[in-house]
Amino acid sequence: MKEKIRELRQKRANLIQNARGVVDRAEGEKRSMSAEEETTWNSYMTEIDKIDKQIEREERMAALEDTLTGATHEPVGQSGDPKGPEQRENIHPTDREEYRSAFAKKLMDGNLANLTVEEARALAVSSASSGSNIVAPQQWVTQLIKDLDNAVFMRKISNVLPALTTSDSLGAPTLDADVDDADWTTELQTGNEGSMDFGKRELKPNPVAKRIKVSNKLVKFSSIPIEQLVRQRLAYKFGITEEKAFMLGDGVAKPLGIFTASDNGIDASRDIVEGNTATAVTYDGLIAAKFALKGAHVQNANWIFHRDVVKQIMKIKDNENRYILDPNSAVADKILDRPYYMSEYAPNVLTAGNYAGIIGDFDYYWIVDALNMEIQRLVELYAETNQIGFIGRKETDGAPVLKTAFARIKLGA
């Protein structure tokens, strides 16, 4: 698995190099890229996106396979299956040997009268009452086919505080106005008088919930652990709901996002327009954003962009005509020497006045929970429809607590 991921990363690096070669040729001849070159460059970018998804898929599949340890990867219901009668109860009816035998006979002569009693009974479990609707036998594997999950990373880089247990909210004092610097004076003087002004930041976890229903028959006969999968998907969907709010939330009954201008979080004074055009982030704009932070914050800062913006940044060169994203360097996954993350929920509409990314010290994005995710299993409520219900619940809040720890990249007018 690790070897395959390494191969994919090397293939990605080669594609990036090829794409840059296309741009280099046009710039070396001091001209714009031709239509053919644009098509070639875009094809490289498409292939790079595919490989990025493959890498994420391989990494997630490795994790999922660990959780599915013990689930069979062999077709069920085969002749000579060593499973005892009790284990065979969980085999889907169309996977039983009796059904396979009956199905084969039906295909050969179409006469149900030639079936044994056991074969006829087996065939009836998946047919209409007359036994006339025949269902082909199936084999199942434990691998689930689904679209690639989006990245969820904000909790990894932010300051996640201990869950609340004795109160409804978390308050933290803020130093809104600091005392002036000390004065050079004489032995008997005390310097000019100064005062400090304090305020408070409050986080109040908000409830979030989801209810789903699953067929009892599916839970009983499926060859994959449906109940375990339901719990995993609920956990992921709660993570995605949080991620969206940490990015774009308005702070009303939900977290306050980093891309929402607010006096309670990051206000408009932290929007950096300098150097950017109305449709693109520039090298000068990135420099201006990075150094809008104080030195201590820069050392701990991360960038966040949508992948569409990263694709645009990949074309940018520094003042020495070098690409600022070099796949062959030791800082291939960094921009201006700081790591970057890609989020599907970051802004990607590159028009005048819109946000295009952010850099910040995410130790100053605080997340607090009052209720860790809980899942309740409902058996009786949906008994009439032969279903099982699952309710997931959680309470959480999040917000930037120090605006000067962040700088948002904004496109020019």
Side-chain angles (χ1 to χ4, degrees):
M1 182 70 71
K2 291 182 179 179
E3 182 62 30
K4 185 173 182 180
I5 293 174
R6 279 195 295 269
E7 291 175 359
L8 287 170
R9 289 190 182 279
Q10 183 58 50
K11 185 177 180 181
R12 177 180 179 270
N14 292 339
L15 286 168
I16 293 174
Q17 196 66 31
N18 292 340
R20 287 176 173 169
V22 175
V23 178
D24 283 343
R25 282 193 295 273
E27 292 186 351
E29 297 172 8
K30 297 182 179 180
R31 60 175 174 80
S32 300
M33 287 195 295
S34 66
E36 182 180 355
E37 288 171 330
E38 285 283 358
T39 300
T40 301
W41 188 89
N42 284 328
S43 69
Y44 285 136
M45 292 300 102
T46 299
E47 189 64 25
I48 289 168
D49 286 342
K50 289 181 181 178
I51 291 177
D52 285 340
K53 291 180 179 179
Q54 281 184 276
I55 292 171
E56 291 185 25
R57 187 181 299 116
E58 290 296 331
E59 291 173 343
R60 286 191 60 82
M61 282 305 304
L64 280 175
E65 285 170 357
D66 288 341
T67 67
L68 294 176
T69 300
T72 178
H73 288 262
E74 298 293 329
V76 295
Q78 298 288 331
S79 178
D81 190 346
K83 298 180 179 65
E86 184 175 328
Q87 290 174 293
R88 284 170 54 82
E89 289 303 314
N90 289 327
I91 298 176
H92 193 278
T94 62
D95 285 333
R96 295 181 185 277
E97 182 60 30
E98 300 93 321
Y99 183 89
R100 293 174 181 275
S101 174
F103 183 80
K105 286 185 179 181
K106 174 63 181 176
L107 288 181
M108 291 177 64
D109 60 23
N111 189 354
L112 289 174
N114 292 333
L115 303 180
T116 67
V117 174
E118 291 77 10
E119 289 171 342
R121 185 182 298 115
L123 193 62
V125 296
S126 292
S127 8
S129 58
S130 63
S132 60
N133 296 334
I134 306 301
V135 180
Q138 295 180 346
Q139 295 180 0
W140 283 72
V141 295
T142 57
Q143 291 175 315
L144 180 70
I145 302 172
K146 63 177 180 62
D147 198 4
L148 186 67
D149 288 338
N150 292 331
V152 179
F153 59 85
M154 277 290 285
R155 281 183 174 266
K156 297 177 183 178
I157 64 175
S158 300
N159 185 7
V160 181
L161 302 170
L164 299 179
T165 57
T166 60
S167 61
D168 294 330
S169 65
L170 175 74
T174 61
L175 184 59
D176 293 344
D178 201 358
V179 65
D180 293 336
D181 295 343
D183 302 304
W184 292 103
T185 183
T186 65
E187 180 181 0
L188 299 179
Q189 292 180 317
T190 59
N192 295 324
E193 184 179 290
S195 62
M196 295 186 295
D197 188 15
F198 293 92
K200 184 179 75 170
R201 288 283 182 168
E202 184 178 20
L203 295 178
K204 187 174 183 179
N206 302 288
V208 58
K210 190 67 178 179
R211 177 173 57 177
I212 61 175
K213 296 181 292 184
V214 179
S215 165
N216 235 328
K217 185 177 181 181
L218 180 64
V219 173
K220 182 177 181 181
F221 289 118
S222 177
S223 62
I224 62 176
I226 293 295
E227 187 165 336
Q228 180 182 354
L229 180 61
V230 166
R231 293 173 182 273
Q232 290 173 349
R233 297 312 297 167
L234 272 176
Y236 170 70
K237 290 300 183 180
F238 272 70
I240 284 298
T241 299
E242 289 183 356
E243 194 83 359
K244 292 177 184 177
F246 295 155
M247 294 285 167
L248 304 170
D250 60 9
V252 179
K254 65 174 70 69
L256 180 60
I258 55 178
F259 289 107
T260 300
S262 170
D263 291 338
N264 295 320
I266 308 171
D267 63 25
S269 69
R270 303 304 297 165
D271 295 346
I272 308 301
V273 182
E274 179 185 345
N276 298 318
T277 71
T279 57
V281 177
T282 68
Y283 183 62
D284 289 343
L286 292 170
I287 292 175
K290 176 179 177 179
F291 292 101
L293 304 181
K294 292 182 179 180
H297 292 316
V298 169
Q299 294 175 13
N300 197 43
N302 294 286
W303 303 91
I304 294 178
F305 297 103
H306 190 278
R307 56 191 166 90
D308 291 343
V309 181
V310 173
K311 186 164 90 171
Q312 184 189 80
I313 293 173
M314 289 179 68
K315 298 182 181 181
I316 299 176
K317 293 182 177 181
D318 63 19
N319 294 332
E320 296 182 6
N321 204 38
R322 298 173 303 187
Y323 288 101
I324 64 173
L325 282 178
D326 183 358
N328 298 315
S329 74
V331 290
D333 293 324
K334 294 184 178 181
I335 297 174
L336 296 182
D337 201 36
R338 296 313 310 158
Y340 70 89
Y341 290 84
M342 290 190 295
S343 172
E344 292 297 303
Y345 311 110
N348 69 330
V349 180
L350 301 180
T351 56
N354 284 350
Y355 292 132
I358 193 169
I359 184 172
D361 180 351
F362 284 86
D363 277 349
Y364 293 92
Y365 190 94
W366 287 10
I367 298 172
V368 63
D369 303 310
L371 175 67
N372 292 323
M373 198 182 94
E374 296 182 350
I375 298 178
Q376 184 178 3
R377 193 174 189 268
L378 307 176
V379 178
E380 301 298 332
L381 183 60
Y382 302 110
E384 289 186 354
T385 56
N386 195 30
Q387 293 174 303
I388 296 176
F390 296 87
I391 297 179
R393 301 181 189 277
K394 191 174 185 182
E395 293 181 5
T396 192
D397 198 9
V401 296
L402 183 66
K403 66 180 182 181
T404 54
F406 301 90
R408 272 190 303 250
I409 299 172
K410 191 173 185 179
L411 298 180

